């Protein structure tokens, strides 16, 4: 049987159509159609003089398709525009270089944030991204800095002093050499040449000075560990180790669309509940009806905020496995729990299981790096617990007796605890594992996003919004491809 003709230099009678390069059922077509419905007028306006700028719609398609398919590096995207048919089709055969792609990504913060919002609005017209139930979660994402670049701020200050001393030593040596050479060769040498050693020392001084200045602006203390390459990144625990990272936050709907995306340099989630709700209000002008999150987002102040905003929150104060179990340390499991004491709000007193009264005896303020609260301690009159027949089931402190602590948000904690301990409350809370956690998995595994490319908190936030937008576009594309949803017609 003869072979089919094979000719790499084949000529075409008519030029081939760019539209024929991509199959009609390729997801990139739907991806492109969705972006065609977005407003791109907020991107930087081209200048009247000079070469015309690339169209923002093309740049958005190329950038977002790159993030959706695990190609995030500007240089890698530039390569794809030369050799990948889908990228070439999305770009209309335009070939912006990596510097142009990088600049577009880092200088259009507000416009890219608006694209994130506009994609959600398009999703809503398709019947997706409904803010009924929303799951909030965070994950540590590796920063673009090495662990060896971290030192205590005090050590950086000492290193700066050493670098300045070294620079002064090199200058003194150079001056002495000049004097000796002048004696031998005369005064013909200019004497203003900078030794290479000075250049290196000066470069190190400038970098460390900039780092110390940035650390002071961020309120870092001398014991804080700071990276020379990214002063805003932190060493955060992940598993059984610590990595240079940022804390990436997501709020996800029941159809796994992201309606809130942000990044914080704080390693804990305790201050993110209110920020997430306010962020949703700002971007899509709505708030969730139900909000679920893990214990990292718990706190009486947060529970009060949710109640004040009429949001039905499900955030346990303890690990999911201990929901409904009285919270006691293992060594004190045989003792009465706080829930066994009855609080009288009008009299501001507790009644113990034996019927004795515990009144307020002290108020203490607790302040950590990321939160603060005032706690009131309640005790019985001295000596009461000593003669109590239930003492062995209540306290190990024979001298002072049993103490109960309470802050101004205890009633909100109690209501949250009671709500989550119901059958309905547990069923609602269990949905968290099916919403936010799989989305993080899809972003990190399917989309290949394991590390930020940009540096600095503001730039990292831009990149995270791009990641979230690409994820949403993939979800919408998949729903349309499965014929579950219909993309609205262009107006």
């Amino acid at each position: 049987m003869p072979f089919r003709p094979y000719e790499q230099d084949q000529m075409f009678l008519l030029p081939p159509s760019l539209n024929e390069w991509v199959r009609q059922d390729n997801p990139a077509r739907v991806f492109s159609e969705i972006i065609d419905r977005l407003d791109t007028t907020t991107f930087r306006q081209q200048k009247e003089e000079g070469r015309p700028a690339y169209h923002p719609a093309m740049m958005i398609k190329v950038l977002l398709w790159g993030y959706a398919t695990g190609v995030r590096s500007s240089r890698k995207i530039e390569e794809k525009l030369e050799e990948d048919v889908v990228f070439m089709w999305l770009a209309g055969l335009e070939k912006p270089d990596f510097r142009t792609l990088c600049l577009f990504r880092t200088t259009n913060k507000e416009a890219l944030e608006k694209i994130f919002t506009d994609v959600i609005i398009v999703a809503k017209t398709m019947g997706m991204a409904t803010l009924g139930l929303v799951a909030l979660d965070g994950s540590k994402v590796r920063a673009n800095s090495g662990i060896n670049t971290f030192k205590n701020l005090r050590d950086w200050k000492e290193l700066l002093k050493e670098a300045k001393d070294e620079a002064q030593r090199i200058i003194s040596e150079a001056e002495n050499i000049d004097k000796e050479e002048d004696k031998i060769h005369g005064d013909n040498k200019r004497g203003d040449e900078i030794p290479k050693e000075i250049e290196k020392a000066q470069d190190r001084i400038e970098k460390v000075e900039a780092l110390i200045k940035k650390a002071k602006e961020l309120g870092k203390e001398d014991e804080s560990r700071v990276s020379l390459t990214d002063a805003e990144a932190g060493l955060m625990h992940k598993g059984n180790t610590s990595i240079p990272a940022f804390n990436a936050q997501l709020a996800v709907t029941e159809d796994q669309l992201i309606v809130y995306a942000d990044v914080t340099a704080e390693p804990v989630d305790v201050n993110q509940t209110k920020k997430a709700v306010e962020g949703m209000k700002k971007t899509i002008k709505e708030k969730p009806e139900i909000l679920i999150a893990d214990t990292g987002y718990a706190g009486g102040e947060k529970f009060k905020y949710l109640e004040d905003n009429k949001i039905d929150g499900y955030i346990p104060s303890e690990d999911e496995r201990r929901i409904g179990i009285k919270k006691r340390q293992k060594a004190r499991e045989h003792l009465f729990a706080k829930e066994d004491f009855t609080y009288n709000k009008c009299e501001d007193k507790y009644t113990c299981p034996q019927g004795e009264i515990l009144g307020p005896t002290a108020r203490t303020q607790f302040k950590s790096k990321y939160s603060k609260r005032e706690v009131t301690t309640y005790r019985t009159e001295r000596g009461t617990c000593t003669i109590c027949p239930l003492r062995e089931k209540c306290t190990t402190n024979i001298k002072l007796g049993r103490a109960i602590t309470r802050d101004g948000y205890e009633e909100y904690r109690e209501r949250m605890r009671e709500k989550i301990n119901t059958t309905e409350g547990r069923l609602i809370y269990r949905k968290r594992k099916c919403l936010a956690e799989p989305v993080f998995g899809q972003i990190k595994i399917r989309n290949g996003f394991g590390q930020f490319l940009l540096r600095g908190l503001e730039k990292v936030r831009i990149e995270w919004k791009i990641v979230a937008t690409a994820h949403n576009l993939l979800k919408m594309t998949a729903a349309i491809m499965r014929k579950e949803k219909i993309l609205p017609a262009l107006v």
Side-chain angles (χ1 to χ4, degrees):
M1 182 178 292
F3 292 109
R4 290 168 60 97
Y6 171 66
E7 179 60 59
Q8 287 182 295
D9 296 325
Q10 175 69 51
M11 301 291 290
F12 290 92
L13 180 62
L14 296 172
S17 169
L18 182 61
N19 211 35
E20 294 174 355
W21 292 11
V22 178
R23 295 196 322 268
Q24 291 298 318
D25 61 348
N26 193 301
R29 287 186 175 274
V30 179
F31 196 94
S32 177
E33 284 184 40
I34 298 172
I35 295 175
D36 285 337
R37 284 156 175 77
L38 306 179
D39 177 20
T40 60
T41 58
T42 54
F43 284 83
R44 287 185 307 140
Q45 296 296 316
Q46 64 184 55
K47 298 177 181 178
E48 293 184 4
E49 69 278 1
R51 183 181 177 183
Y54 289 107
H55 198 288
M58 181 275 292
M59 298 290 284
I60 293 166
K61 289 179 184 181
V62 167
L63 187 64
L64 291 176
W65 184 253
Y67 272 83
T69 56
V71 184
R72 300 180 293 122
S73 162
S74 300
R75 286 178 170 83
K76 292 294 183 184
I77 293 175
E78 183 182 356
E79 287 181 16
K80 291 290 184 180
L81 292 172
E82 295 281 354
E83 59 190 32
D84 188 290
V85 171
V86 173
F87 273 91
M88 293 165 72
W89 175 77
L90 286 168
L93 289 183
E94 294 281 9
K95 293 180 175 60
D97 63 22
F98 71 90
R99 290 185 181 85
T100 304
L101 290 163
C102 185
L103 195 63
F104 180 84
R105 175 169 49 188
T106 56
T107 58
N108 284 292
K109 179 179 182 293
E110 291 79 11
L112 287 169
E113 286 180 347
K114 186 176 184 300
I115 289 294
F116 170 76
T117 304
D118 290 348
V119 168
I120 297 173
I121 293 170
V122 174
K124 283 182 168 295
T125 64
M126 295 167 55
M128 303 176 74
T130 304
L131 262 70
L133 185 148
V134 170
L136 178 62
D137 203 1
S139 180
K140 309 299 187 297
V141 179
R142 185 177 283 275
N144 189 4
S145 59
I147 196 166
N148 294 331
T149 65
F150 281 83
K151 291 181 185 291
N152 288 343
L153 186 56
R154 181 188 290 108
D155 293 338
W156 283 122
K157 290 178 179 179
E158 185 63 31
L159 188 66
L160 177 62
K161 182 178 179 299
E162 292 175 3
K164 287 183 175 179
D165 290 343
E166 182 185 358
Q168 188 58 47
R169 178 185 61 78
I170 295 169
I171 290 171
S172 298
E173 287 181 1
E175 288 176 349
N176 291 332
I177 291 171
D178 286 345
K179 288 177 182 177
E180 291 298 324
E181 289 180 345
D182 286 345
K183 290 178 181 178
I184 300 170
H185 304 292
D187 300 332
N188 295 327
K189 193 176 180 184
R190 295 200 327 261
D192 60 352
E193 295 88 347
I194 300 176
K196 290 182 179 180
E197 295 83 356
I198 282 289
E199 292 179 359
K200 293 178 183 178
Q202 193 61 39
D203 182 55
R204 187 160 66 250
I205 289 169
E206 289 173 1
K207 286 182 178 179
V208 177
E209 281 181 338
L211 172 68
I212 293 173
K213 181 181 178 183
K214 185 68 176 178
K216 286 181 178 178
E217 291 173 359
L218 297 172
K220 302 271 188 182
E221 299 175 354
D222 280 354
E223 295 303 317
S224 302
R225 301 201 68 184
V226 188
S227 168
L228 184 63
T229 52
D230 191 345
E232 293 179 277
L235 276 177
M236 301 186 184
H237 292 297
K238 188 176 183 181
N240 10 345
T241 187
S242 294
I243 61 170
F246 287 97
N247 188 357
Q249 300 287 312
L250 290 180
V252 181
T253 61
E254 289 192 86
D255 45 14
Q256 293 190 350
L257 259 70
I258 299 168
V259 290
Y260 170 77
D262 195 21
V263 177
T264 176
E266 295 181 5
V268 295
D269 300 323
V270 68
N271 294 319
Q272 303 308 312
T273 309
K274 181 178 178 180
K275 283 179 66 177
V277 174
E278 293 300 320
M280 284 181 263
K281 286 181 183 178
K282 181 180 177 181
T283 54
I284 52 179
K285 314 303 180 188
E286 287 185 56
K287 62 182 180 182
E289 296 174 12
I290 301 172
L291 181 71
I292 54 179
D294 63 29
T295 184
Y297 296 86
E301 187 179 355
K302 288 77 183 174
F303 300 159
K304 180 180 184 302
Y305 171 81
L306 293 176
E307 285 192 21
D308 291 346
N309 284 268
K310 296 180 172 52
I311 298 172
D312 192 10
Y314 291 83
I315 308 176
S317 295
E318 56 275 310
D319 185 84
E320 184 179 2
R321 292 169 295 182
R322 296 190 62 82
I323 292 176
I325 301 174
K326 292 177 180 179
K327 193 175 181 181
R328 302 296 294 150
Q329 294 179 9
K330 192 170 183 180
R332 299 184 178 184
E333 286 180 344
H334 64 288
L335 302 179
F336 291 129
K338 185 177 182 176
E339 292 87 340
D340 296 316
F341 292 71
T342 306
Y343 180 68
N344 186 321
K345 186 176 180 179
C346 295
E347 298 181 7
D348 189 25
K349 294 178 180 178
Y350 275 95
T351 303
C352 75
Q354 181 63 15
E356 299 292 343
I357 301 298
L358 290 81
T361 58
R363 284 182 172 81
T364 310
Q365 286 194 347
F366 292 95
K367 186 177 181 180
S368 69
K369 190 174 181 180
Y370 303 106
S371 61
K372 61 180 181 179
R373 66 190 184 117
E374 184 176 273
V375 174
T376 302
T377 303
Y378 297 79
R379 292 185 186 274
T380 59
E381 292 184 7
R382 181 165 293 194
T384 304
C385 291
T386 308
I387 59 174
C388 178
L390 299 179
R391 189 190 71 196
E392 292 185 358
K393 294 182 179 180
C394 190
T395 182
T396 57
N397 190 332
I398 299 173
K399 185 178 180 181
L400 297 177
R402 179 61 184 268
I404 297 291
T405 58
R406 182 184 185 89
D407 64 16
Y409 303 103
E410 197 72 36
E411 59 185 289
Y412 298 98
R413 288 194 186 88
E414 291 169 356
R415 283 197 288 269
M416 181 68 75
R417 193 179 298 118
E418 290 170 3
K419 180 170 58 175
I420 290 182
N421 197 28
T422 63
T423 303
E424 182 185 5
R426 289 179 186 231
L427 289 173
I428 291 173
Y429 182 70
R430 283 174 187 166
K431 292 183 179 182
R432 184 184 68 86
K433 290 184 177 180
C434 306
L435 300 181
E437 290 183 7
V439 169
F440 274 111
Q442 291 158 19
I443 287 173
K444 292 182 177 182
I445 306 302
R446 182 193 63 189
N447 298 0
F449 187 85
Q451 179 178 352
F452 288 110
L453 292 179
L454 305 182
R455 290 172 177 165
L457 187 58
E458 283 306 308
K459 289 184 179 180
V460 160
R461 281 173 171 158
I462 296 173
E463 189 171 7
W464 190 236
K465 280 279 173 69
I466 294 172
V467 170
T469 306
H471 169 86
N472 285 347
L473 286 168
L474 284 177
K475 286 288 180 182
M476 294 160 66
T477 297
I480 294 169
M481 298 283 289
R482 293 193 301 265
K483 301 189 185 310
E484 295 174 1
K485 303 292 180 182
I486 300 173
L487 190 63
L490 278 168
V491 180

